[in-house]
Amino acid sequence: YSVINRSNLYSIHQVPARNSSSDQEKYLWVFIYPNLAINLYEKGYSIEQILPMGKDRTMLAYDFFVRSTSDSAAMAKRIE
């Protein structure tokens, strides 16, 4: 796991896959100050917005996007 901070505006978090036989994907997570994150995976991505709701509450809003495939079984597994 590594973290790279750039210009105090965004940081990049990277995690390599554990091994080639694992179901775990490698991914890249980019946090853009002050409240946006983009999560990039091999099979899709998500956009995460961090919304302050008060001094002690925060809401996370997610949008998920899955890479299309012609293999219907693989597609079903991606959207489980």
Side-chain angles (χ1 to χ4, degrees), residues 13-66:
H13 300 241
Q14 292 178 300
V15 176
R18 289 186 183 154
N19 58 55
S20 60
S21 63
S22 171
D23 245 5
Q24 179 190 5
E25 299 179 74
K26 61 183 175 185
Y27 76 89
L28 178 72
W29 183 76
V30 180
F31 175 74
I32 304 166
Y33 182 82
N35 66 344
L36 182 66
I38 302 169
N39 307 292
L40 304 170
Y41 302 92
E42 291 177 76
K43 297 174 184 166
Y45 67 96
S46 67
I47 298 173
E48 175 182 332
Q49 190 172 12
I50 301 114
L51 304 165
M53 302 302 287
K55 66 179 184 176
D56 60 350
R57 293 180 36 218
T58 302
M59 181 174 76
L60 297 176
Y62 292 93
D63 287 309
F64 294 94
F65 303 88
V66 179

